[in-house]
Amino acid sequence: MAFTPQQAILELGDAFYDPVHAARFPQAILRFRNDRAAAEVGLDGLSDEQWIAHFGRFEPLPGTLQQPLALRYHGHQFRVYNPEIGDGRGFLFAQMTDDQGRLMDLGTKGSGQTPWSRFGDGRLTLKGGVREILATEMLEALGVETSRSFSLIETGEELHRGDEPSPTRSAALVRLSHGHIRIGTFQRLAYSQDTENLQRLTGYVLRHYYGEEAGDDAPQRLLAHVAARTARMAGRFMAAGFVHGVLNSDNINVTGESFDYGPWRFAPSWAPGFTAAYFDQSGLYAFSRQPEAIYWDVMQLASSLRLIAEEAPLIEAMEVFPETFQREVASAMLWRLGLKPRGPEHDRPLVGAIEAALVETDTPIDRFFFDGFGGKLPESYGEPFAALRARLAGYEPRKPRDHEYWSDPAPCAMLIDEVEAIWARIAQGDDWAPLTAKVAAIRRMGEALA
């Protein structure tokens, strides 16, 4: 498709962002370009030289933003309110329309300091960029709506970090996202009692991300949309065995698209208390607590919208979340098993049976869904899976098990040991072949599941 630039964010006005300049880097070495994603927004025809100019030196794309914008927001971080945050090492670089007619953003990570950097250097480690490529590719293949790792360019600086070997290499990452408006964006306006801009932001989100116009009931309609979309995200996290790690309200996109990956992990088995972040000592964002955490964040949006709406309709809008989550986790599990849904009276007990069997046996999540695709478990799955096997017998496959992927000896997975091994090859020998091969393997799995 043709590149279709947009500048929708400028409708909000300069109370929502700060114009900034990208850092100047010693080098610009192209390490990853996502031509599949680029084709969806008409940028796949760029030469490598043009790509580096736009996504390494941040020369403006024609017709879109002529200067990067660091977005302003607040947020609860591990349930503690922080009014001192915003885009501290990234910015909104460009907006455009994709091949579905959706408004899309290109945002950065590691592109330099902004007014919100506080004491940070505004940089990203190369390892952090590699990890985000792996997370987003895997989530996309597993049916989770996520930001896409669009570009990774090594920048030639040495960075020092307290939680990993230093000095380490640096990079600038560009993400393709369906918007960068966060729950924390609304919280900031509520904090300052800015009802005019709360209404303006509500209308912007409804118009550009939900295809609706504002009206007297705009706040509750927006909240219902966000509750449903984030409940869907929570359900798909669970079916993917994914632990985001930091589900703060400034990390929750109002489109329900997962983004902003730091200490993520894929759980090896269905362990409810499994955490991704070493600093999450209370298990606030543990695997099984993610739906609760996301629901709590949506409650903060509801609290912010109380400045411009009555409480009762907002409470009613929030009620969408639990029902939607139950439906979506069942739908996502059935999709991953290659089965057609039968309805809540059958699908919800199936989810319970899957969870119970996986917890009791400590069966690897990826192995279970790989072996069970099509609805028939191998005989090696013994007595603990008997009840589940009986439930699966009532389901019809949604597609045959005929892709060559299903003949592999093991499923494509993304556990921490492999992530570290891929990075080690880059760090020790500048060997990018394992990363390239892994991305290809993940996309092949996605084709088998799609």
Side-chain angles (χ1 to χ4, degrees):
M1 66 166 289
F3 176 62
T4 309
Q6 302 291 343
Q7 298 180 341
I9 193 71
L10 300 181
E11 297 173 15
L12 290 173
D14 57 13
F16 287 84
Y17 45 72
D18 295 276
V20 294
H21 297 280
R24 293 187 176 183
F25 300 111
Q27 294 178 293
I29 305 168
L30 179 57
R31 296 301 191 183
F32 177 79
R33 59 178 282 170
N34 191 338
D35 279 316
R36 184 167 71 170
E40 297 173 12
V41 293
L43 291 173
D44 53 319
L46 294 176
S47 67
D48 282 354
E49 183 180 359
Q50 292 170 321
W51 189 280
I52 290 170
H54 291 305
F55 308 128
R57 292 190 291 273
F58 298 103
E59 296 176 6
L61 287 162
T64 183
L65 304 178
Q66 294 307 294
Q67 186 168 358
L69 304 174
L71 303 183
R72 302 175 182 177
Y73 48 85
H74 289 179
H76 279 88
Q77 299 183 309
F78 285 83
R79 303 284 167 90
V80 177
Y81 194 77
N82 188 348
E84 302 296 331
I85 54 177
D87 279 340
R89 56 172 174 168
F91 47 64
L92 178 59
F93 173 61
Q95 291 187 301
M96 66 224 57
T97 304
D98 73 359
D99 56 6
Q100 301 177 50
R102 303 184 304 165
L103 177 65
M104 304 295 290
D105 289 355
L106 286 175
T108 67
K109 188 175 182 180
S111 50
Q113 291 180 312
T114 78
W116 308 104
S117 298
R118 294 180 289 172
F119 302 107
D121 61 11
R123 274 32 176 197
L124 171 69
T125 66
L126 183 62
K127 181 179 182 180
V130 168
R131 283 173 43 82
E132 185 143 339
I133 291 169
L134 293 170
T136 55
E137 289 285 338
M138 193 70 178
L139 287 172
E140 182 183 356
L142 291 174
V144 179
E145 293 176 5
T146 175
S147 62
R148 317 271 289 283
S149 296
F150 194 82
S151 171
L152 184 68
I153 290 177
E154 188 169 357
T155 55
E157 295 179 317
E158 289 190 342
L159 303 181
H160 291 266
R161 295 291 185 263
D163 57 352
E164 60 184 85
S166 297
T168 189
R169 294 152 72 176
S170 60
L173 177 76
V174 176
R175 302 161 164 157
L176 179 66
S177 296
H178 188 37
H180 276 86
I181 303 298
R182 311 153 190 257
I183 287 175
T185 313
F186 285 83
Q187 289 182 280
R188 174 180 164 272
L189 299 172
Y191 181 86
S192 60
Q193 302 283 300
D194 189 347
T195 56
E196 180 180 350
N197 276 323
L198 261 177
Q199 290 170 332
R200 179 176 287 114
L201 181 61
T202 299
Y204 176 90
V205 173
L206 280 174
R207 182 167 57 258
H208 290 294
Y209 300 119
Y210 291 103
E212 299 178 5
E213 290 302 321
D216 292 341
D217 62 345
Q220 52 263 43
R221 281 191 287 121
L222 171 65
L223 183 61
H225 283 308
V226 175
R229 290 280 187 91
T230 54
R232 176 185 175 94
M233 179 178 73
R236 294 192 173 201
F237 275 0
M238 300 306 291
F242 181 70
V243 185
H244 183 281
V246 187
L247 292 171
N248 296 332
S249 61
D250 58 297
N251 289 343
I252 304 296
N253 190 331
V254 295
T255 64
E257 180 185 77
S258 175
F259 80 125
D260 210 5
Y261 301 102
W264 60 269
R265 295 283 191 279
F266 283 90
S269 60
W270 202 277
F274 181 85
T275 57
Y278 70 88
F279 47 82
D280 187 6
Q281 297 176 352
S282 69
L284 180 64
Y285 298 142
F287 180 43
S288 67
R289 295 186 67 183
Q290 291 183 116
E292 166 204 337
I294 295 169
Y295 185 64
W296 191 91
D297 288 328
V298 178
M299 288 175 61
Q300 307 320 302
L301 175 60
S303 178
S304 298
L305 292 172
R306 285 181 60 187
L307 282 180
I308 57 173
E310 297 296 324
E311 184 174 351
L314 293 175
I315 292 173
E316 183 179 354
M318 284 292 299
E319 293 173 357
V320 170
F321 189 101
E323 175 69 23
T324 304
F325 170 74
Q326 293 292 337
R327 183 175 66 250
E328 290 293 343
V329 72
S331 174
M333 283 192 176
L334 287 165
W335 177 84
R336 199 170 176 189
L337 282 167
L339 302 176
K340 297 178 181 178
R342 294 178 62 195
E345 69 278 12
H346 297 287
D347 299 345
R348 290 183 181 177
L350 178 69
V351 170
I354 291 171
E355 292 179 350
L358 292 180
V359 169
E360 180 180 351
T361 62
D362 204 32
T363 300
I365 294 173
D366 299 297
R367 183 87 244 184
F368 166 76
F369 283 109
F370 180 81
D371 290 343
F373 190 86
K376 294 183 179 180
L377 289 171
E379 290 301 319
S380 58
Y381 284 73
E383 180 58 30
F385 288 87
L388 173 57
R389 185 178 277 108
R391 290 191 181 279
L392 288 171
Y395 284 84
E396 295 181 14
R398 64 173 173 86
K399 65 179 299 185
R401 192 182 172 103
D402 59 358
H403 192 281
E404 61 180 2
Y405 170 73
W406 303 115
S407 298
D408 290 356
C412 180
M414 183 47 64
L415 302 183
I416 187 60
D417 287 349
E418 185 175 8
V419 175
E420 292 294 334
I422 290 170
W423 168 246
R425 294 279 292 275
I426 295 170
Q428 296 166 11
D430 209 29
D431 182 1
W432 291 81
L435 175 65
T436 301
K438 189 61 183 183
V439 169
I442 292 169
R443 292 182 177 184
R444 177 172 169 268
M445 178 189 69
E447 292 170 1
L449 287 167

